[in-house]
Amino acid sequence: MPSKKKSFTPYANEADVLEVGKLMLENRVDRITISGDVDLTLDKAGLAHARRLHEVLGAVVAALESRELPDQLPPPEVKTVDNPFA
């Protein structure tokens, strides 16, 4: 079944998650993470999924094209903390 229409502004926050089938698009301020899978079946549901992906990825491309971009982002800072359960 197609996902319910939900607002997704690329790179706007660290909270939005959009689902299309079993595919998840997670919004971050410096990246969009895409994980999972979706079948673009040869039926109305597949067409709805394809249209939604096209819409969202078009917004991602537009957001990227509208900014001055570095050649590559630096790797994320990883912090180690003590295990509170140890």
Side-chain angles (χ1 to χ4, degrees), residues 19-39:
E19 292 182 44
V20 178
K22 294 180 185 175
L23 190 71
M24 291 182 60
L25 294 93
E26 298 176 64
N27 211 4
R28 304 292 302 271
V29 295
D30 66 347
R31 69 194 70 232
I32 305 295
T33 302
I34 301 172
S35 60
D37 62 83
V38 62
D39 290 325

Side-chain angles (χ1 to χ4, degrees), residues 34-75:
I34 301 172
S35 60
D37 62 83
V38 62
D39 290 325
L40 301 177
T41 51
L42 190 60
D43 56 15
K44 289 180 180 179
L47 176 59
H49 287 322
R51 283 183 172 151
R52 186 63 173 138
L53 285 172
H54 185 262
E55 175 186 2
V56 172
L57 292 177
V60 170
V61 170
L64 290 166
E65 290 177 338
S66 72
R67 300 173 188 211
E68 186 69 31
L69 299 172
D71 289 334
Q72 187 172 2
L73 286 179

